[in-house]
Amino acid sequence: MPMRTGHLIKNIILSGFFLVIYSCGQLAVEIEVVNLFDPAHPDYSIPETEILDWSAAGVSIDSTTTVFTWRHSDPSYHYDPTHEVDFSERISYRYKLNSGIWSPWYSGEELIQQDLGFWTFDTLTGLHVLQLDYLEDIDYNFSVMSKYPTNIRENDWPTISFTVDAYEGVELLISPGQVFADSGAVFYVNAKLIDVTDFMGVHLDVSYDNSFMHLVNYALESDSTDFLLQSSGQLINFIENDTENGRFQLDLGVAGGAVTGVSGTGNIVRLIFKHIGPIDQSIISISSESTVRDIYNNSVIEHIFSGEVIIW
């Protein structure tokens, strides 16, 4: 009787062993893992971004908002419901405008989870869609770079050149109109004049949410003084910096020099902030009480634009 029991136990163990072997064999045969991010794979392609619906040559747009859409240039990496792996959502991208800093990397998976709003990933098409707002009437270069989960980066990323020409007349605005910063980081904006003629003075009234950002400094940078002193005059300015209420006021005039005043496009003053609030977005506003005057004391301002700060 003990012998029979031993044989029975032995048979059960062997049966289980062969079942495991068989099951593992079935898994190996039925499930084939395709990894297009592995350079050894025969269908592997290097990271290469395709920006859709934009000409490589410079174009002009008459709006301060534009949209960019992109994906991998190789269809093998596009969304396909028959694929076991959605390669499109695992590729990370970052972008930048002009000489600004690169944005953080975001994959499609991360965009779905984070919901940035202005940058989305379409799970049905595998497309990245980015909306840029608060653009100025200037020339831009938009660049986007991709990266695989293996950290292999795109070496020859695409850049699109375009010009915004949305308004006629003198503009007073926050520049850049849209600022992206890390939580707790220091960032800056400029108060800027565009297409002014015979400028002689400005009253600038800026407000901001002082629970979201703190104005740590302000300055007339070299680019501001070069612009404002082109008529060989002298600068006279009065500043009221009310950090408790989130308000900055500047009265600035150009005295003496050429009788024609200052003309062209340039920065007036740089405002340096530190983020102190939640991860969110907030507006830096230029009040309608702000004025720009020419050498004849005429108010020449036609457009005033505020700016937006977005914390990643």
Side-chain angles (χ1 to χ4, degrees), residues 65-289:
T65 295
T66 193
V67 174
F68 286 95
T69 304
W70 66 81
R71 62 185 176 186
H72 199 294
S73 63
D74 186 343
S76 299
Y77 292 80
H78 296 176
Y79 171 75
D80 186 336
T82 66
H83 285 173
E84 295 162 313
V85 176
D86 185 355
F87 298 105
S88 63
E89 72 175 16
R90 298 190 180 187
I91 301 174
S92 297
Y93 293 91
R94 64 179 183 176
Y95 75 91
K96 71 173 180 176
L97 276 177
N98 293 345
S99 59
I101 62 172
W102 286 97
S103 73
W105 292 101
Y106 281 105
S107 67
E109 290 176 316
E110 291 169 327
L111 289 173
I112 293 170
Q113 296 171 3
Q114 187 148 345
D115 189 21
L116 295 179
F118 63 93
W119 184 357
T120 60
F121 176 75
D122 189 332
T123 56
L124 295 180
T125 63
L127 296 175
H128 284 253
V129 180
L130 176 74
Q131 178 170 316
L132 298 176
D133 297 313
Y134 296 92
L135 297 174
E136 305 171 34
D137 279 357
I138 60 173
D139 297 330
Y140 285 99
N141 289 306
F142 172 80
S143 302
V144 59
M145 180 195 299
S146 61
K147 179 180 71 169
Y148 288 163
T150 54
N151 209 34
I152 298 175
R153 299 187 182 189
E154 186 171 8
N155 290 323
D156 188 18
W157 57 86
T159 295
I160 298 294
S161 298
F162 66 100
T163 299
V164 176
D165 188 9
Y167 297 98
E168 296 288 338
V170 179
E171 302 172 44
L172 176 62
L173 68 157
I174 296 297
S175 173
Q178 201 169 44
V179 177
F180 297 90
D182 294 327
S183 180
V186 173
F187 60 92
Y188 71 86
V189 298
N190 296 301
K192 184 176 184 178
L193 281 171
I194 293 180
D195 290 341
V196 70
T197 301
D198 293 337
F199 164 79
M200 191 57 70
V202 60
H203 170 68
L204 176 68
D205 190 345
V206 175
S207 60
Y208 56 92
D209 182 354
N210 64 349
S211 67
F212 183 85
M213 64 189 98
H214 176 64
L215 181 61
V216 296
N217 205 353
Y218 52 86
L220 292 176
E221 299 290 324
S222 59
D223 57 348
S224 298
T225 54
D226 290 346
F227 167 64
L228 295 170
L229 295 178
Q230 62 179 270
S231 62
S232 302
Q234 294 182 329
L235 296 179
I236 302 174
N237 63 80
F238 300 94
I239 293 173
E240 183 176 344
N241 183 21
D242 184 1
T243 56
E244 290 187 3
N245 294 298
R247 190 176 184 188
F248 175 87
Q249 296 182 78
L250 167 68
D251 287 285
L252 182 146
V254 181
V259 295
T260 54
V262 174
S263 298
T265 295
N267 296 325
I268 301 171
V269 63
R270 174 164 295 182
L271 304 176
I272 304 169
F273 293 92
K274 179 178 175 62
H275 172 247
I276 59 173
I279 296 178
D280 202 348
Q281 54 195 53
S282 188
I283 300 296
I284 300 176
S285 300
I286 299 181
S287 165
S288 59
E289 299 298 317

